[in-house]
Amino acid sequence: MLRHFLQFKDLSRDELLYLFERSRVIKSRFKRYQPYHPLTDRTLAMIFEKSSTRTRLSFEAGMHQLGGSAIYLNTRDTQLGRGEPVEDAGEVISRMVDIVMIRTFEQEIIERFAAHSRVPVINGLTNEYHPCQILADIFTFIEHHGSIQGKTVAWIGDSNNMCNTWLQAAEVLDFNVHVSTPPGYEVEPERAGLYGTDHFESFVDPMDACRGADLVTTDVWTSMGWEAENDERLKDFADWQVDAEMMGVAKSDAVFMHCLPAHRGEEVTAEVIDGPQSVVWDEAENRLHVQKALMEFLLLGKVES
Ligand code: CP
Ligand code: NVA
């Protein structure tokens, strides 16, 4: 059966637990320089309508390491930028490759593409969601602290694509998210694609959201596509900077995460992101390993080797 990964809840709890275990195996092989080529002769098309460093590199390197190849396409020099319907692009591109990753604006765009695709489609970030990043973040949490079930994640800042995806993940994997956003930037449960509000709690004061948390995380105040609001956001978010005081009220062994790229002195202090509780480099590296496990799963199903 054709499977896509367009939002976090497209995978069940069992499938996610399988993927985390599979990521561990794939990572350990990679660290031992053991070749593993289950996707020989398979091709990944990567379509970017927004900038990227980590997503492009991790998908391209990952596909290569699995024995396949990757092709980079962007809006500037493909017909997508000249108004070719996304449905037509889905029909054509999916006849030439085995799997597709898209980074775009509205979630609706990737859904329309997937509805016309013959091959699996992966969300490499939309305005609403960033599911591959949350796969990496939770895998990183598990590496440091074991199962995330029942744990508390503090989300400080904008209710953006990262926040929405943490909230979906909390529903599927049964953990809690404490959210603190400035007034006017609150979570919209429907846009986040939530079944309910049982797994998150909103806090006016970010210190309260961090209290007792196992993981504190944030993201840029201005996401790609919202650049026109940058000056206003710098003022509105000024009190939502993750600093040592916030980390100080979280659990003593709490970790700090940020999907990167980060702005030291805005959403996080240099002391925190470069400090001993920060796991941001593991988090970035793990994009590679979880996405290799994801591509393998979408193309081959569960494997045992
Ligand atoms: N975290 C992340 O997705 O980074 P890029 O924008 O560099 O791909
Ligand atoms: N929320 C950010 C994440 C970047 C990886 C954005 O959408 O720009």
Side-chain angles (χ1 to χ4, degrees):
M1 191 184 76
L2 177 58
R3 296 288 299 272
H4 303 297
F5 188 50
L6 306 182
Q7 48 185 310
F8 200 85
K9 65 185 183 188
D10 286 347
L11 294 177
S12 69
R13 176 186 157 76
D14 281 356
E15 288 166 340
L16 288 161
L17 297 181
Y18 162 81
L19 274 190
F20 295 135
E21 173 53 21
R22 195 67 197 153
S23 303
R24 189 189 64 73
V25 170
I26 286 175
K27 178 173 182 174
S28 127
R29 270 190 195 147
F30 177 73
K31 295 287 180 186
R32 283 182 276 128
Y33 298 100
Q34 261 182 22
Y36 178 56
H37 295 153
L39 301 186
T40 306
D41 290 335
R42 306 286 184 120
T43 308
L44 164 73
M46 306 182 296
I47 305 170
F48 283 91
E49 300 211 74
K50 293 176 177 173
S51 304
S52 169
T53 298
R54 278 145 287 268
T55 302
R56 176 178 177 180
L57 187 57
S58 51
F59 270 106
E60 193 163 337
M63 193 44 156
H64 179 76
Q65 290 160 16
L66 292 174
S69 56
I71 298 173
Y72 171 79
L73 303 167
N74 66 43
T75 315
R76 272 189 314 283
D77 43 46
T78 57
Q79 301 291 5
L80 277 167
R82 298 181 62 250
E84 179 165 17
V86 70
E87 291 81 1
D88 294 3
E91 294 285 352
V92 173
I93 292 169
S94 71
R95 285 181 185 225
M96 299 186 187
V97 299
D98 300 279
I99 186 163
V100 178
M101 184 239 82
I102 307 181
R103 167 168 287 195
T104 186
F105 292 89
E106 290 79 23
Q107 181 71 10
E108 187 224 339
I109 297 174
I110 197 170
E111 281 170 4
R112 283 164 51 208
F113 186 103
H116 288 262
S117 175
R118 291 184 170 200
V119 302
V121 178
I122 298 172
N123 182 344
L125 181 146
T126 56
N127 289 350
E128 287 81 1
Y129 306 120
H130 197 2
C132 292
Q133 183 69 53
I134 301 299
L135 278 184
D137 292 10
I138 295 175
F139 179 61
T140 308
F141 184 88
I142 294 169
E143 284 187 319
H144 285 267
H145 277 320
S147 170
I148 198 165
Q149 186 172 14
K151 298 286 182 6
T152 298
V153 175
W155 175 268
I156 309 300
D158 193 13
S159 62
N160 62 11
N161 41 15
M162 282 292 297
C163 176
N164 288 342
T165 313
W166 270 116
L167 295 172
Q168 276 200 3
E171 288 190 333
V172 185
L173 294 171
D174 190 24
F175 60 91
N176 310 301
V177 186
H178 287 179
V179 182
S180 182
T181 67
Y185 297 91
E186 290 88 357
V187 170
E188 297 170 50
E190 201 170 319
R191 181 174 157 85
L194 302 185
Y195 297 115
T197 53
D198 290 356
H199 289 81
F200 84 92
E201 199 176 337
S202 298
F203 294 82
V204 174
D205 184 340
M207 287 291 285
D208 291 336
C210 290
R211 200 156 279 124
D214 298 279
L215 159 60
V216 177
T217 184
T218 186
D219 186 13
V220 292
W221 291 339
T222 304
S223 286
M224 292 180 278
W226 277 265
E227 289 80 0
E229 297 178 8
N230 193 44
D231 291 348
E232 199 182 327
R233 284 171 172 262
L234 282 175
K235 287 188 227 121
D236 292 348
F237 284 80
D239 293 335
W240 275 262
Q241 180 186 70
V242 176
D243 57 13
E245 205 186 337
M246 283 188 203
M247 291 304 297
V249 296
K251 287 211 176 115
S252 56
D253 63 352
V255 288
F256 171 78
M257 290 192 196
H258 189 309
C259 65
L260 307 175
H263 300 81
R264 289 169 176 76
E266 291 185 20
E267 72 274 9
V268 61
T269 61
E271 185 185 8
V272 169
I273 195 169
D274 299 322
Q277 286 170 281
S278 173
V279 294
V280 296
W281 310 133
D282 287 348
E283 183 188 359
E285 176 190 326
N286 283 334
R287 291 290 302 278
L288 175 71
H289 310 302
V290 297
Q291 289 162 195
K292 284 166 76 175
L294 175 67
M295 289 191 286
E296 181 190 59
F297 175 71
L298 292 176
L299 286 171
L300 305 180
K302 288 187 183 175
V303 297
E304 282 175 14
S305 62

